[in-house]
Amino acid sequence: MAKIAKAAFDGQDLKPLWAALLGKLLDGTATPGEGLDLALVAQLIGEKSSGLAIQHDVLQAQQFYRVAASTPTPRLRVLALAAATDMGSNTPIEFLLEDSDIELLMLYVVPGAELPSPLPAHDIAIVIASDSEDCQHALHEINAVAARWPRPLLNPPQRIWHLDRDKLHALLAGIEGLSIPATVPVDRERLVEVADERELIEDVDGALGFPVIVRPRGSHAGVGLEKVEEPIELSLYLDERDEQEFFVSRFVDYASEDGQFRKYRIVFVDGAAYACHMAIAKRWDIWYLNAGMAGSESKRLEEATFMQTFDIGFGRRHRSVLAAIAERIGLDYFIIDCAETKDGALLVFEADNTAVVHNMDPPDVFPYKPPQMQKIFAAFADMIAKRAASRAEQAA
């Protein structure tokens, strides 16, 4: 994934690779690994349904794959337990271990295929499936045997299940210095009632009130995300969407004094918080790719300062909140997207174990990023090594 995604990120034309791999698949010479590469390329060029269909067929034949380490004698073997889903619903662990001396083993947990017995030899395992609907089978299968797993098992399913937006609010509510508006699951029929003014939004849930943020349940990366100011806008929104289930939350205006919005991504590794990125834009529905960071030297300077002073700046300001988040979520590795409210609270938008943490940005434009990303990657590798060593010592 890391190499193909980097090629796409750099703007390379993936269609020749698509054609070559498709040709091998059609003439029967493609290996299962090349089949998975083809499925990934299809998703990256906008052919998601074709990619998932190819992936489904490949995974029916083979569920176990090996990603070579940077050395012929890797120091550790990590078994990543993945779901048969799209490229955004498993932890992109290849980015975290790219060019490391740790060998990555991928085991896809798919319907109709039992977990292998014995399991592939490994030193430590980590669940990389998310809490999305199409990962539930994998999480349940892993959870059924988690207590008997022969090696340390990181990010257990029972912890991942707390990350869905409505559950996260309940998990983090009450932390001093943290703001997380309640996220309410609402079906389409109920929202139509509000849009037609036959019911008040406050009657749906007492935590709600216009303006609200609406998104289809299970969506990510801003797909279907809208701020709705009044019932007529909700009606127009529903006219353009086919989904039957939605998440609705109260809108919080987190604009800074200069009128711009600042959104932060924080990575947690073994309980410690690390700066991942900072996006700055005049729009509230901000994520890194729509913030125009590459085109603004002043924005990049502010992001560099955020990263370089994190331990004495942002991280210190919110130290107790970040520590409480790490404790309550309890995962070995996860990410939050957040902001700061006008009164200085930490505003949490979401938490998950699958957000992309990468080192793909051009270093001539973002020279401050590679050191920070390598710091995160090193922390992840160190955690893997420490947990594996601790289990080995106990066994001895």
Side-chain angles (χ1 to χ4, degrees):
M1 173 186 278
K3 291 179 174 58
I4 295 175
K6 179 66 164 64
F9 190 85
D10 290 342
Q12 294 183 30
D13 184 4
L14 296 183
K15 289 185 177 177
L17 178 59
W18 157 265
L21 290 173
L22 183 60
K24 296 185 71 173
L25 186 71
L26 294 175
D27 67 20
T29 61
T31 65
E34 288 173 324
L36 284 192
D37 286 347
L38 177 61
L40 175 61
V41 171
Q43 294 178 69
L44 289 169
I45 65 174
E47 299 289 343
K48 181 177 178 178
S49 59
S50 297
L52 292 179
I54 293 168
Q55 177 179 274
H56 175 271
D57 290 345
V58 172
L59 292 179
Q60 294 306 301
Q62 181 168 315
Q63 294 85 47
F64 179 62
Y65 298 84
R66 188 186 307 273
V67 181
S70 62
T71 171
T73 55
R75 60 169 166 152
L76 287 170
R77 298 159 299 175
V78 178
L79 181 64
L81 303 171
T85 182
D86 63 78
M87 61 178 290
S89 295
N90 287 311
T91 305
I93 192 172
E94 287 190 42
F95 288 113
L96 300 173
L97 295 177
E98 189 178 17
D99 299 324
S100 78
D101 59 354
I102 296 176
E103 184 176 61
L104 175 60
L105 311 174
M106 298 283 290
L107 178 60
Y108 287 85
V109 183
V110 302
E114 295 183 358
L115 289 172
S117 181
L119 289 163
H122 60 284
D123 301 295
I124 192 168
I126 181 170
V127 181
I128 65 171
S130 69
D131 193 30
S132 63
E133 188 64 31
D134 50 356
C135 292
Q136 293 306 308
H137 169 270
L139 292 180
H140 283 286
E141 288 290 308
I142 298 164
N143 188 61
V145 296
R148 306 190 304 274
W149 205 267
R151 296 287 184 270
L153 179 65
L154 307 185
N155 279 14
Q158 288 193 342
R159 296 286 185 175
I160 293 173
W161 275 318
H162 292 306
L163 297 182
D164 209 2
R165 295 178 191 276
D166 54 337
K167 301 172 193 169
L168 185 67
H169 170 264
L171 182 66
L172 300 183
I175 295 176
E176 185 176 356
L178 180 141
S179 175
I180 179 167
T183 296
V184 182
V186 186
D187 62 36
R188 184 182 189 88
E189 184 177 345
R190 194 84 185 270
L191 288 181
V192 169
E193 293 285 319
V194 175
D196 292 343
E197 299 189 69
R198 297 194 299 268
E199 186 174 8
L200 297 175
I201 190 70
E202 291 85 356
D203 293 336
V204 174
D205 190 278
L208 299 177
F210 287 113
V212 295
I213 302 297
V214 186
R215 67 182 349 125
R217 186 163 190 161
S219 69
H220 296 281
V223 176
L225 177 68
E226 291 283 351
K227 180 175 74 167
V228 175
E229 301 274 359
E230 55 186 341
I232 185 60
E233 290 187 9
L234 179 58
S235 179
L236 294 172
Y237 172 83
L238 292 172
D239 286 344
E240 297 177 353
R241 310 298 311 179
D242 296 327
E243 294 89 354
Q244 298 301 308
E245 299 288 336
F246 297 86
F247 277 138
V248 184
S249 60
R250 176 174 54 86
F251 173 72
V252 177
D253 183 1
Y254 63 97
S256 303
E257 290 184 2
D258 62 359
Q260 297 201 96
F261 294 86
R262 288 164 170 82
K263 187 175 179 181
Y264 308 88
R265 176 162 291 176
I266 310 298
V267 179
F268 290 80
V269 182
D270 204 12
Y274 298 85
C276 181
H277 70 223
M278 173 188 189
I280 308 167
K282 290 188 176 296
R283 53 189 295 171
W284 68 268
D285 54 339
I286 177 177
W287 58 96
Y288 204 82
L289 293 180
N290 73 6
M293 300 295 290
S296 172
E297 185 176 354
S298 63
K299 288 182 181 181
R300 295 196 304 275
L301 177 61
E302 188 171 341
E303 183 183 34
T305 303
F306 160 69
M307 287 184 169
Q308 293 161 0
T309 65
F310 181 81
D311 290 337
I312 60 173
F314 187 100
R316 174 171 288 182
R317 286 199 303 278
H318 302 291
R319 178 184 297 168
S320 62
V321 180
L322 295 172
I325 290 173
E327 181 178 2
R328 290 201 186 181
I329 290 179
L331 287 167
D332 305 282
Y333 172 83
F334 68 97
I335 303 96
I336 65 168
D337 285 338
C338 59
E340 291 180 295
T341 64
K342 296 179 187 296
D343 61 0
L346 187 72
L347 174 64
V348 173
F349 299 114
E350 62 180 312
D352 65 53
N353 60 321
T354 61
V356 180
V357 179
H358 65 80
N359 191 25
M360 297 189 293
D361 293 294
D364 57 328
V365 180
F366 300 91
Y368 54 89
K369 280 197 170 183
Q372 183 64 21
M373 294 302 104
Q374 292 301 329
K375 183 178 180 181
I376 295 171
F377 300 161
F380 185 79
D382 288 347
M383 175 185 69
I384 294 288
K386 182 177 73 174
R387 297 295 181 82
S390 174
R391 180 59 174 264
E393 290 172 1
Q394 291 176 8

